[in-house]
Amino acid sequence: SCDTDARSDTDRKDLDMISNALIEARDLRKTYQLGKRAVVPALRGVDITIGQGEMVAIMGPSGSGKSTLMHILGLLHAPEQNGGPRPELWFEGRDMTRLGESERTRIRAERMGFVFQSFNLVPTLTAQENVLLACSYAGLKGTKAESAAEHVLRLVGLADRADHRPAELSGGEQQRIATARALVEGAR
């Protein structure tokens, strides 16, 4: 499972002041109940700070909590207290731990883009229609949505493949369509 960040509180406060953190999380914990008796601690007090525009790689062996951490940071799951300090999760300066599911869903749709490991493309939709679906989740409609979809498809080099379904695209092309969906928010 993921270990706690080694930075001291003083270092973290100094970093926060200069980094304009996009995401700030402290004491993230999550356990899974497997069967009646088995409890698996996936996260044990994880701290992470991600700055605006920063590239971050989360690495570790299988079962170490990477996906769980991503689900919490992406507001798909909530952290748990599990007898430790109250977890903190801040996104764009706003406390996410106090929000209900509908508000977290709205923030995911309007402010976050996801590229899933398996891409999660809708197989019956074309590449452009898959991107337009993300546009609708982000609140873009009509010509604004079409313009945004065309823009991000050009960004990922697939404007000429917009009318192809996922099965007609290579794995790399499917990944770029998934990336285009995640970029829609920035194309507003």
Side-chain angles (χ1 to χ4, degrees), residues 76-137:
L76 296 167
H77 296 292
E80 300 166 346
Q81 191 160 348
N82 291 342
R86 186 177 91 66
E88 296 179 35
L89 177 56
W90 296 82
F91 175 68
E92 296 181 331
R94 188 170 175 199
D95 184 358
M96 299 289 110
T97 61
R98 302 188 186 277
L99 300 180
E101 181 60 34
S102 64
E103 185 66 6
R104 287 195 315 268
T105 298
R106 187 189 64 73
I107 291 169
R108 275 195 312 271
E110 294 177 0
R111 303 296 305 149
M112 294 182 173
F114 292 89
V115 179
F116 293 94
Q117 190 171 0
S118 61
F119 313 136
N120 289 352
L121 299 176
V122 179
T124 58
L125 299 180
T126 65
Q128 182 165 8
E129 290 166 339
N130 267 283
V131 175
L132 285 169
L133 183 60
C135 288
S136 72
Y137 294 151

Side-chain angles (χ1 to χ4, degrees), residues 13-32:
K13 286 175 189 168
D14 291 343
L15 180 65
D16 292 347
M17 284 190 250
I18 61 172
S19 74
N20 272 337
L22 175 66
I23 296 173
E24 175 75 24
R26 293 194 178 119
D27 296 313
L28 297 183
R29 290 175 163 66
K30 185 74 173 177
T31 58
Y32 293 101

